[in-house]
Amino acid sequence: MEPILDETSLLPCNTWKPSVRIRSLALTLQSLDALGVSPVLRSVRDAPDLDIGAGRGLRGWCFDHTTDRDAGRLVANRLGKQPFIDGAGGLLALAEGARAIEAKAHGITVLGLAVAALNECPSVALGRAAYPEGNRVLAVTLTCLDETGEYAETVTIPHLVTPDDVTKCSGWIVERIDRDITNGDRLLLRAVEVFPFLRFGARARSQIRDTIGSEPVFRQLIRHLRALNHGARDWNLNTPFVPAGAVTWSSESNATLSHGKYGPMRDFPVPDGFAFDRWSRHTKLSNGVRLYFREVRMEEGPVVLIGYFGAHLPTVEFPN
């Protein structure tokens, strides 16, 4: 899932200063990054140069002395990257396929918002006084023409101006991110973006890669990984680690960990760069499946290691 810039927001605004609009856009993109949305910004080709104030476009205002340096560079770095929305071979042409599509929002014809509606992506916009307070969703009308005739539909998508808008639409966004994770290979491919606080050991990677996505526990796996990821993100100093959300987890008994046979069964490979330790903590999925994890505080921040995803292992209490 990639955020789409609403090109209709690239207009001058007497209420929002360009520097404030750019900072808000940067913070909104960072909030989307934190949810696991791809860290890009898709736009029409001329988006960097459309006048947003004083005859200057985003390209100029991102480097203006009145604009927060980090915010300006984040937005500038994501602008102008291909593929663009418009043009031959652009994202709109790909989404149209054999159809011809006209899209309207805000009462005018739109291109970026058409792609957002067709692909169910969030749209982001520069703040404008024209947007009513709390306007977090936008209806896009698609008029389609194909070999069967003409038809129309209306698609509602998030329309995000501030980080608070992202928070309020986070359920919709996360649902579509998870929908895009169709199997274990795809999960591992997206892990850096979707689960930035997790690190996977070799055995866990192999076990996850073997999943095809139709297993009853696959969606549970995504939910448990997200709970561990968010637990690491929110883990404060001098407090015990707790996975976020309503996932059940526990630790192995000392009797099992020290057992001559059952203990070594928990000696899973650790991710590169981390010290060996016998794995104990694990979340509990249905059908006896377990996900072993270990929380670690590093100098650059907390992470959670993932060591094993598979069938329940025998213990002293339950040897079979």
Side-chain angles (χ1 to χ4, degrees):
M1 179 193 294
E2 299 178 337
I4 306 294
L5 179 61
D6 175 7
E7 73 270 17
T8 70
S9 70
L10 303 180
L11 296 170
C13 176
N14 294 327
T15 304
W16 290 53
K17 295 180 179 178
S19 58
V20 174
R21 301 172 79 188
I22 290 170
R23 176 168 172 76
S24 180
L25 176 60
L27 292 174
T28 300
L29 291 172
Q30 289 176 322
S31 296
L32 288 170
D33 293 350
L35 290 180
V37 174
S38 297
V40 298
L41 179 61
R42 298 303 180 195
S43 66
V44 293
R45 293 172 187 271
D46 62 353
D49 301 308
L50 293 172
D51 179 15
I52 65 170
R56 301 166 66 196
L58 275 171
R59 191 194 307 275
W61 281 109
C62 279
F63 295 97
D64 190 83
H65 72 278
T66 64
T67 301
D68 178 86
R69 183 179 184 277
D70 291 338
R73 278 152 182 75
L74 184 147
V75 173
N77 186 55
R78 298 193 185 185
L79 282 171
K81 300 288 181 66
Q82 297 188 38
F84 295 109
I85 299 293
D86 50 341
L91 295 177
L92 180 55
L94 291 174
E96 279 184 315
R99 301 168 294 177
I101 295 178
E102 180 187 60
K104 288 194 174 182
H106 311 301
I108 60 176
T109 300
V110 291
L111 301 179
L113 293 175
V115 174
L118 289 165
N119 293 339
E120 290 192 289
C121 296
S123 64
V124 295
L126 284 183
R128 291 177 59 200
Y131 299 146
E133 186 72 21
N135 181 28
R136 295 178 295 277
V137 296
L138 180 67
V140 180
T141 301
L142 303 171
T143 302
C144 308
L145 180 64
D146 61 19
E147 68 278 3
T148 66
E150 182 178 311
Y151 58 94
E153 62 177 324
T154 299
V155 180
T156 301
I157 56 172
H159 193 237
L160 312 173
V161 178
T162 68
D164 185 54
D165 296 340
V166 177
T167 299
K168 291 172 180 174
C169 291
S170 60
W172 186 96
I173 295 167
V174 167
E175 177 188 347
R176 279 150 181 82
I177 292 172
D178 289 353
R179 186 191 300 171
D180 186 51
I181 302 175
T182 53
N183 54 44
D185 269 335
R186 183 68 177 167
L187 188 157
L188 294 173
L189 182 66
R190 295 291 319 281
V192 172
E193 297 171 356
V194 180
F195 311 115
F197 295 94
L198 303 187
R199 305 291 183 270
F200 296 83
R203 186 167 182 184
R205 294 184 69 88
S206 176
Q207 291 169 314
I208 292 172
R209 187 174 288 112
D210 286 343
T211 59
I212 62 175
S214 60
E215 299 87 348
V217 298
F218 185 72
R219 292 296 151 189
Q220 292 180 47
L221 170 63
I222 295 173
R223 180 166 57 85
H224 282 229
L225 291 174
R226 193 178 294 280
L228 292 170
N229 183 74
H230 288 179
R233 181 196 64 189
D234 300 335
W235 187 18
N236 295 319
L237 285 170
N238 304 317
T239 61
F241 173 80
V242 179
V247 299
T248 301
W249 62 280
S250 64
S251 301
E252 300 288 14
S253 67
N254 289 331
T256 294
L257 292 174
S258 60
H259 192 275
K261 177 180 178 182
Y262 302 140
M265 289 182 175
R266 283 129 176 105
D267 292 343
F268 318 125
V270 295
D272 292 342
F274 293 90
F276 167 80
D277 196 7
R278 184 159 289 175
W279 297 75
S280 173
R281 297 176 188 264
H282 53 276
T283 68
K284 301 179 178 181
L285 296 81
S286 62
N287 298 324
V289 174
R290 299 292 184 261
L291 180 68
Y292 279 77
F293 68 91
R294 174 152 45 98
E295 67 275 17
V296 178
R297 282 201 177 275
M298 304 174 64
E299 184 175 339
E300 57 268 33
V303 296
V304 170
L305 313 183
I306 307 297
Y308 173 92
F309 166 66
H312 181 271
L313 298 171
T315 64
V316 169
E317 297 87 349
F318 301 99
N320 297 320

